[in-house]
Amino acid sequence: MAVKNRFAEMHDEITAWRRDLHENPEILFDTHRTAGLVAEKLRAFGCDEVTDGIGRTGVVGVIRGRSNNSGRVIGLRADMDALPIEEKTGKPYASKTPGAMHACGHDGHTAMLLGAARYLAETRNFDGTAVVIFQPAEEGGGGGKEMCDDGLMTRWGIQEVYGMHNWPGMPAGSFHIRPGAFFAATDQLDIRFEGKGGHAAKPHDTVDTTVMAAHAVTALQTIASRNADPVEQIVVSVTSFQTSSTAFNVIPQSVHLRGTVRTLSPAMRDLAERRVREICEGVAATFGGRAEVDYQRGYPVMANHEAETAFAAEVARAVAGDCGEAPLVMGGEDFAFMLEERPGAYILVGNGDTAMVHHPEYDFNDEAIPAGCSWWAELVERRMPAA
């Protein structure tokens, strides 16, 4: 098998949906237009149930197969939200919303799952139930957790769940996956150093927070180089350094650091949090000041389940002829919350030679649409073959 003919026929229409979404991006949970459009289309396709307001602005559609002897219920998830980035693509369908754009391809994910939902509602060539999940706030808002907290898995009896993300640099329509840890846990650092400000000409009368914070930034890098096992993956990045004074002749009373920690195992996550606190508090004490460390745990490690990963790869090979090994990704993905509740897998579909995601010149490659739609549809038909 290859790409399903129906998606070749629908390609232009799905592309039009995608470009409309691209032109009208919405951020975090404010996906009201997008969710409304999704719900409207699912109802028009003839889905058996369409429910909105799950996880604040999420949408869930239910499509029952011709029979239900298997009793299987499979969840298929796409994300809907955009990013707070000013678009620089110059495309005719570029964002009409200042300061917002679909810089991660969630417009493409939503359009592809809509295309698959239409096909599945038309054909119903499976034995069981497909639940299509359209999630808000993947980009830092934890919309996946909000949907799970709203009873997504239990309310619809979902037994397995699958997700997909486009990936620039891989041939358009190709697939890549890996079992186990795939995307990193994403934690946030918020650190304040307090000392004694004063005149820069009299440093002996101060407790210099700039020196404190500078030493801490350097020392934090030893978590990766001297505390972590060298075969483990960890990233500690300080991304913001703000002083309470910007005058050239003032030693500031306080310095505020912000940053992120990325890890791929619970043990490494615990180690990182402990060492961040110890290093910052120890450095501050060494210079006669103090540090307040707010370590906020964000998305957990997104880990694919072994059997479901093998099945997802089998479906990808049926669609594209091959399925490569995906790289470890130190970015975060809140599909992790769904994979903590149910077995499943997350796959990458190639976006071709485009700008990387989260870049102002990025655009989803519409040539990937038939392959992505086919993977969703074949996953349902192969996992729940018609009786």
Side-chain angles (χ1 to χ4, degrees), residues 182-186 261-264 299-302 329-333 336:
F182 192 172
F183 279 58
T186 59
V261 176
R262 308 297 174 105
T263 52
L264 285 168
Y299 297 170
V301 176
M302 192 195 74
V329 179
M330 297 309 285
E333 168 55 67

Side-chain angles (χ1 to χ4, degrees), residues 11-12 27 32 53 77 131 193 216 234 260 272 285-286 323 326 332 371:
H11 192 178
D12 288 347
I27 293 172
H32 303 287
R77 173 272 202 177
V131 179
F193 290 93
I234 180 171
T260 184
T286 297
C323 184

Side-chain angles (χ1 to χ4, degrees), residues 114-181:
L114 281 173
R118 180 174 176 180
Y119 167 87
L120 292 169
E122 288 174 350
T123 59
R124 299 183 185 262
N125 189 33
F126 58 96
D127 177 60
T129 303
V131 179
V132 289
I133 303 161
F134 295 86
Q135 179 207 304
E138 189 282 321
E139 297 290 358
K145 184 178 188 303
E146 295 261 358
M147 293 191 83
C148 288
D149 288 348
D150 260 2
L152 172 67
M153 300 300 173
T154 53
R155 181 170 173 179
W156 284 280
I158 295 169
Q159 300 162 353
E160 301 171 29
V161 63
Y162 296 87
M164 184 197 307
H165 202 294
N166 77 95
W167 206 253
M170 295 175 176
S174 65
F175 291 96
H176 296 74
I177 199 169
R178 68 182 302 122

Side-chain angles (χ1 to χ4, degrees), residues 33-45:
R33 179 189 185 276
T34 305
L37 183 148
V38 165
E40 178 185 344
K41 288 193 179 298
L42 293 178
R43 292 186 178 103
F45 299 160

Side-chain angles (χ1 to χ4, degrees), residues 10-25 33-34 37 41 87 89 91-95 101-115 166 351 362-369:
M10 293 169 58
H11 192 178
D12 288 347
E13 187 174 8
I14 298 171
T15 296
W17 301 343
R18 200 283 294 183
R19 294 183 179 185
D20 174 73
L21 292 169
H22 189 92
E23 205 170 354
N24 297 279
R33 179 189 185 276
T34 305
L37 183 148
K41 288 193 179 298
E87 182 162 353
T89 64
K91 297 289 178 70
Y93 50 84
S95 170
M101 75 168 286
H102 271 293
C104 204
H106 297 184
D107 50 343
H109 305 162
T110 296
M112 288 190 294
L113 188 53
L114 281 173
N166 77 95
N351 202 57
Y362 165 87
D363 188 23
F364 179 83
N365 187 346
D366 294 317
E367 294 307 308
I369 286 173

Side-chain angles (χ1 to χ4, degrees), residues 82-386:
L83 281 157
I85 295 175
E86 194 71 36
E87 182 162 353
K88 302 294 183 185
T89 64
K91 297 289 178 70
Y93 50 84
S95 170
K96 295 189 295 188
T97 305
M101 75 168 286
H102 271 293
C104 204
H106 297 184
D107 50 343
H109 305 162
T110 296
M112 288 190 294
L113 188 53
L114 281 173
R118 180 174 176 180
Y119 167 87
L120 292 169
E122 288 174 350
T123 59
R124 299 183 185 262
N125 189 33
F126 58 96
D127 177 60
T129 303
V131 179
V132 289
I133 303 161
F134 295 86
Q135 179 207 304
E138 189 282 321
E139 297 290 358
K145 184 178 188 303
E146 295 261 358
M147 293 191 83
C148 288
D149 288 348
D150 260 2
L152 172 67
M153 300 300 173
T154 53
R155 181 170 173 179
W156 284 280
I158 295 169
Q159 300 162 353
E160 301 171 29
V161 63
Y162 296 87
M164 184 197 307
H165 202 294
N166 77 95
W167 206 253
M170 295 175 176
S174 65
F175 291 96
H176 296 74
I177 199 169
R178 68 182 302 122
F182 192 172
F183 279 58
T186 59
D187 299 337
Q188 294 182 19
L189 305 178
D190 201 298
I191 305 162
R192 292 187 182 274
F193 290 93
E194 289 290 334
K196 179 183 176 185
H199 200 293
K202 302 181 71 178
H204 58 289
D205 288 338
T206 72
V207 176
D208 194 333
T209 51
T210 304
V211 172
M212 256 186 253
H215 275 266
V217 170
T218 302
L220 287 170
Q221 299 311 307
T222 65
I223 298 173
S225 67
R226 288 296 176 269
N227 299 138
D229 186 322
V231 302
E232 295 277 0
Q233 284 80 19
I234 180 171
V235 175
V236 180
S237 295
V238 176
T239 57
S240 175
F241 192 118
Q242 298 175 318
T243 60
S244 58
S245 170
T246 58
F248 74 92
N249 59 351
V250 173
I251 290 173
Q253 176 77 17
S254 64
V255 171
H256 181 199
L257 303 183
R258 301 187 72 196
T260 184
V261 176
R262 308 297 174 105
T263 52
L264 285 168
S265 73
M268 192 56 52
R269 196 179 199 184
D270 291 342
L271 170 70
E273 179 172 0
R274 176 173 61 81
R275 289 300 293 143
V276 165
R277 295 185 187 281
E278 290 172 349
I279 287 169
C280 292
E281 291 169 359
V283 166
T286 297
F287 289 99
R290 62 186 179 86
E292 296 178 0
V293 179
D294 182 10
Y295 192 104
Q296 301 172 20
R297 294 204 173 196
Y299 297 170
V301 176
M302 192 195 74
N304 276 343
H305 296 251
E306 193 88 27
E308 288 71 22
T309 299
F311 171 65
E314 172 192 320
V315 174
R317 286 190 288 271
V319 172
D322 193 17
C323 184
E325 182 179 359
L328 286 168
V329 179
M330 297 309 285
E333 168 55 67
D334 83 340
F335 189 63
F337 292 110
M338 296 190 185
L339 289 178
E340 285 189 333
E341 294 218 357
R342 294 294 185 271
Y346 190 80
I347 200 166
L348 303 181
V349 61
N351 202 57
D353 186 17
T354 66
M356 195 54 185
V357 295
H358 292 224
H359 190 280
E361 294 181 359
Y362 165 87
D363 188 23
F364 179 83
N365 187 346
D366 294 317
E367 294 307 308
I369 286 173
C373 292
S374 295
W375 184 79
W376 284 126
E378 181 67 10
L379 190 150
V380 169
E381 292 179 344
R382 192 168 288 226
R383 197 59 152 178
M384 304 184 291

